[in-house]
Amino acid sequence: MIMMQGKGVSKGVIKGPLYFFCRQDAAVKQWHVEDLQAEKERLVQAQEKTIAQLETLAEKCREEAGDEAAVLFETHAMFVEDEDYVESIYSCMEEEQCNAEYAVQEAGEQFAAMFAAMDDAYMQARAADIRDVSKRILNNLMGIVEGGIDSDVPVILAADDLAPSETIQLDKSKILGFVTQGGSSNSHTAILARTMGIPAICGLGEELKEEYAGRIACVDGEVGCVYIDPDELTLAQFNEKYAKQQEMKELLLTMRGQEDITLDGKKVNVYCNIGSPEDVSAVLANDGQGIGLFRSEFLYLAASDYPTEEEQFQAYKTVAAAMNGKRVIIRTLDIGADKQVGYFNMNKEENPALGVRAIRICLNRPEVFKPQLRALYRASAYGKVAIMFPMITSVWEVKECKRACQKVMAELEKEGIPFNKDTEIGIMLETPASIFVAEELAREVDFFSVGTNDLTQYTLACDRQANDLGKFYDPHHPAVLRALKMAADAAHNAGIWIGICGELGADLSMLPTFLAMGMDELSVSPNAVLPLRAAIRSSIAKTCTLDALEC
């Protein structure tokens, strides 16, 4: 047996085979081909495999979401064999005497550009469909496994660490847990694990070796231990802990349908953080009362080009409609720092956490900001959508955002497109600057949401992604907690509500402090909803104190 110690970043225990994430070079290169007929046959095989994959996806989608949802994949399957598209690929191969990969990429971009240039918004949105189909064919030509996991059984995914663009594209149905050499409790791998409700351990270092691939591992996310080929005693202890974990899950299910209210009547809204429309199923399964943070940047991270207004609208509309009238807070684009998107062509920065990120990008690039705002307001006609701006540090930024919103609403009204004129607008408090001017900011918006991950980083001058900072990165630091209290007071003095959407919101040890502050909402990973509800329902708000704010 081999035992490795890391840092548990998502609780739970699980057993399964280790699978190492393999990055493959997806760059398409051109080369000369002598046997064009053989190359065309290779293309046909890739097309057939693509159609089979799409038909499988359509059937799965039909079972889970109905016929209408399956139509997209059926349409994609038809386009694979579209005469004009295939003829364009063949022409490129013959004229250039080149490989199928290059021809597929060229034809895909040619057709996508043609649709994107059309005046009709629906036809413009088809550009993304064409790129998706071409990408699927390319993956099959290049032997790239969609979802990054080539396994018939669920696995414990191992990696050095995973970038946001990699986590968003993983086939989550095949993942039992995560173990990584690097990373931190605030890494995107950790956040994804908590959203999925599966164990995760980071900081295992070079002890986590690729030679362990395929061997059985037991992962204990609570204590941060990984056991490779566990002995009988360890396995018995592990199985006992797993059984207790399942019992606790069954017990927590009794919290479904219950109110999020303390014994003395203090109501707290328990919402969920999500990263994609697919996460809504976890929100509903865990009885989340709303969505406190929809990270819209994952639409950008998962794409190879700027998502169109129509693509964004469909994603936001899907989530809003699925939540059936419950509040859905959608954060506008928040990239930069640790979330880089290649096609944005951002300048390299010495300290990206302090650079051009989040709302700074949006205000600098109205051509990116405007389509997102239009999509958000259009989606507001299908549910209780609220818009939240990240990384706000000053009043003028909020006023600029509101001006952009007013322009978009005026355009939509002129075009006769329905939207909710009373859509709530809120901001994230993530910096000391926003805390110090919270009184003024509160007069401009409908709500505050505190991002405790970044607030801790900027308050304590600790990189949230650096695993070796350990105890120095402390969300419980009195300075951080006093900042939360200042924000809560400013919100309530202005008559607006305030919530927490950072990881600290799920920390049950902090619940009494949050109740004492008067926090109105806590937005957490879906799997944290029921434990938090149980804790709220056994608390007495009026007896809670602010002792944690003392040094």
Side-chain angles (χ1 to χ4, degrees):
M1 180 178 76
I2 300 167
M3 195 277 279
M4 294 178 285
Q5 181 68 53
K7 181 179 180 180
V9 293
S10 183
K11 293 180 180 179
V13 294
I14 200 67
K15 181 180 72 173
L18 271 182
Y19 182 94
F20 277 78
F21 180 73
C22 181
R23 293 181 177 87
Q24 300 189 49
D25 182 9
V28 175
K29 299 175 183 177
Q30 180 183 4
W31 64 82
H32 181 77
V33 171
E34 293 291 344
D35 191 343
L36 269 181
Q37 188 55 41
E39 192 68 4
K40 287 181 180 179
E41 288 174 7
R42 196 167 71 88
L43 172 64
V44 169
Q45 290 173 2
Q47 288 173 298
E48 290 173 348
K49 190 172 182 179
T50 301
I51 291 170
Q53 290 168 344
L54 288 166
E55 287 175 345
T56 299
L57 284 170
E59 192 56 40
K60 181 182 178 183
C61 202
R62 182 175 286 106
E63 292 172 1
E64 296 178 356
D67 290 339
E68 187 177 346
V71 169
L72 173 66
F73 295 112
E74 291 174 339
T75 304
H76 281 199
M78 292 170 61
F79 186 77
V80 174
E81 297 182 303
D82 178 83
E83 287 186 13
D84 292 336
Y85 175 66
V86 174
E87 179 57 36
S88 180
I89 297 172
Y90 281 168
S91 295
C92 181
M93 292 173 70
E94 290 164 359
E95 290 172 10
E96 301 281 343
Q97 289 285 299
C98 68
N99 54 307
E101 289 91 339
Y102 180 78
V104 168
Q105 177 172 270
E106 288 296 297
E109 285 304 315
Q110 176 187 334
F111 273 71
M114 179 179 69
F115 277 93
M118 294 182 180
D119 293 331
D120 184 74
Y122 175 83
M123 298 307 290
Q124 288 174 356
R126 304 289 69 78
D129 295 333
I130 292 164
R131 288 193 180 99
D132 188 65
V133 168
S134 298
K135 183 179 178 182
R136 287 182 184 278
I137 298 172
L138 280 171
N139 284 350
N140 287 320
L141 281 167
M142 300 169 74
I144 295 174
V145 178
E146 187 174 352
I149 302 171
D150 187 11
S151 173
D152 296 328
V153 298
V155 298
I156 295 168
L157 190 62
D160 52 354
D161 198 7
L162 295 167
S165 57
E166 292 170 332
T167 61
I168 194 64
Q169 297 181 60
L170 291 171
D171 183 350
K172 298 173 184 64
S173 67
K174 292 183 177 180
I175 304 173
L176 298 170
F178 290 101
V179 289
T180 61
Q181 293 174 330
S184 70
S185 59
N186 290 306
S187 68
H188 295 280
T189 308
I191 292 171
L192 174 61
R194 289 191 287 266
T195 299
M196 295 172 64
I198 59 176
I201 298 173
C202 71
L204 290 164
E206 294 182 2
E207 287 187 67
L208 181 61
K209 303 173 183 177
E210 288 198 31
E211 64 193 60
Y212 298 150
R215 294 165 73 170
I216 296 298
C218 290
V219 173
D220 188 333
E222 185 168 2
V223 298
C225 281
V226 181
Y227 304 93
I228 308 288
D229 297 332
D231 57 31
E232 290 186 12
L233 177 60
T234 302
L235 193 56
Q237 292 172 338
F238 181 87
N239 288 337
E240 182 180 354
K241 194 166 187 177
Y242 181 79
K244 287 181 179 178
Q245 172 183 281
Q246 299 309 108
E247 287 176 16
M248 181 56 70
K249 284 183 178 180
E250 290 295 322
L251 185 61
L252 285 172
L253 288 177
T254 63
M255 288 291 108
R256 285 179 55 84
Q258 301 291 324
E259 278 192 282
D260 299 311
I261 190 167
T262 65
L263 291 170
D264 55 339
K266 164 69 176 174
K267 180 80 168 74
V268 182
N269 289 321
V270 178
Y271 289 174
C272 293
N273 302 330
I274 66 170
S276 70
E278 289 74 28
D279 294 336
V280 173
S281 58
V283 177
L284 299 175
N286 288 279
D287 200 28
Q289 295 307 294
I291 292 173
L293 172 62
F294 178 1
R295 303 180 182 94
S296 70
E297 60 270 15
F298 283 88
L299 296 172
Y300 296 77
L301 289 162
S304 57
D305 201 353
Y306 297 98
T308 64
E309 175 188 326
E310 187 67 23
E311 288 173 313
Q312 293 188 69
F313 164 64
Q314 291 297 337
Y316 306 148
K317 173 187 172 183
T318 297
V319 173
M323 291 304 293
N324 197 27
K326 294 179 178 179
R327 185 185 276 127
V328 176
I329 301 173
I330 304 175
R331 179 174 70 187
T332 57
L333 175 65
D334 184 9
I335 64 164
D338 58 317
K339 289 174 286 190
Q340 296 293 327
V341 180
Y343 55 84
F344 270 73
N345 297 314
M346 303 286 289
N347 293 327
K348 183 174 175 58
E349 297 173 308
E350 287 297 320
N351 194 337
L354 301 180
V356 182
R357 59 170 296 195
I359 202 62
R360 298 168 181 177
I361 293 175
C362 292
L363 293 179
N364 281 345
R365 299 193 185 186
E367 73 279 7
V368 173
F369 198 26
K370 182 179 174 181
Q372 179 168 42
L373 289 179
R374 283 180 59 90
L376 287 166
Y377 274 104
R378 287 173 61 193
S380 71
Y382 298 87
K384 192 176 181 181
V385 169
I387 300 172
M388 181 163 69
F389 301 115
M391 199 63 183
I392 293 294
T393 61
S394 60
V395 172
W396 76 263
E397 291 168 336
V398 178
K399 289 184 175 179
E400 283 297 307
C401 290
K402 290 169 68 176
R403 270 192 280 271
C405 289
Q406 290 294 332
K407 287 181 182 178
V408 162
M409 286 193 286
E411 284 184 4
L412 293 175
E413 190 165 18
K414 186 177 180 180
E415 295 167 21
I417 297 174
F419 66 94
N420 178 14
K421 296 178 182 178
D422 297 319
T423 296
E424 286 182 297
I425 290 178
I427 60 172
M428 290 188 72
L429 303 184
E430 304 169 89
T431 66
S434 64
I435 300 297
F436 294 144
V437 295
E439 293 280 357
E440 291 81 3
L441 291 170
R443 301 189 198 112
E444 299 290 334
V445 296
D446 299 306
F447 65 92
F448 283 162
S449 187
V450 185
T452 54
N453 301 353
D454 267 334
L455 182 61
T456 302
Q457 169 175 249
Y458 294 124
T459 301
L460 302 183
C462 278
D463 185 349
R464 56 182 282 197
Q465 299 298 323
N467 191 46
D468 55 357
L469 280 170
K471 61 186 178 183
F472 297 103
Y473 181 92
D474 179 17
H476 297 159
H477 193 291
V480 177
L481 302 183
R482 290 178 191 179
L484 290 175
K485 178 65 166 58
M486 291 172 64
D489 289 345
H492 294 146
N493 289 340
I496 67 172
W497 64 268
I498 181 170
I500 292 175
C501 64
E503 296 300 320
L504 194 61
D507 187 337
L508 299 184
S509 72
M510 289 305 303
L511 178 61
T513 302
F514 297 151
L515 290 173
M517 289 178 182
M519 288 294 172
D520 303 294
E521 176 246 20
L522 298 172
S523 190
V524 298
S525 298
N527 68 298
V529 167
L530 298 180
L532 181 55
R533 178 172 298 160
I536 290 171
R537 291 178 61 81
S538 62
S539 298
I540 301 175
K542 63 185 178 184
T543 65
C544 294
T545 70
L546 294 170
D547 292 347
L549 277 64
E550 302 301 323
C551 290

